[in-house]
Amino acid sequence: MSDKRPDSNWVAVCREADIANEQFREFHLGEQPCFVFRRQGQLHAYRNQCPHLGITLNWMPERFMDLDNCFIHCANHGALFVPESGDCIAGPCEGDRLMAVALRVVDGSIEARL
Ligand code: FES
């Protein structure tokens, strides 16, 4: 994931050390709400936009997981997404997926772009 190519499209999100395992951080790329999280040591990021109706997934800040902490959960109508792939495995948009956001880590800082 380390990529140091100069590119003005990358946006600084936060320090990599600021995201513990199973922790989420919301941010914006332009007008687009997004979130990044760490799971089993790996960073993942998606647009915060449910493929069902195109609205944000969460009702509570930084809260995206279901009660069992297994799947990303859409609070609107209950769609469930595999955290590592964004694939929807249940709910009204089953078979669709969350849109991934590209990440890189430069000198300990997480940067993202659409
Ligand atoms: S808006 Fe996400 S399941 Fe309907």
Side-chain angles (χ1 to χ4, degrees), residues 50-57 74-81 90-93:
C50 183
H52 177 215
L53 295 182
I55 57 180
T56 55
L57 296 154
C74 179
N76 300 294
H77 308 110
L80 297 174
F81 303 88
C93 46

Side-chain angles (χ1 to χ4, degrees), residues 46 51 72 80-88 96-99:
Y46 298 102
I72 294 170
L80 297 174
F81 303 88
V82 177
E84 293 80 4
S85 66
D87 292 336
C88 182
D96 211 331
R97 65 174 41 182
L98 298 174
M99 293 185 65

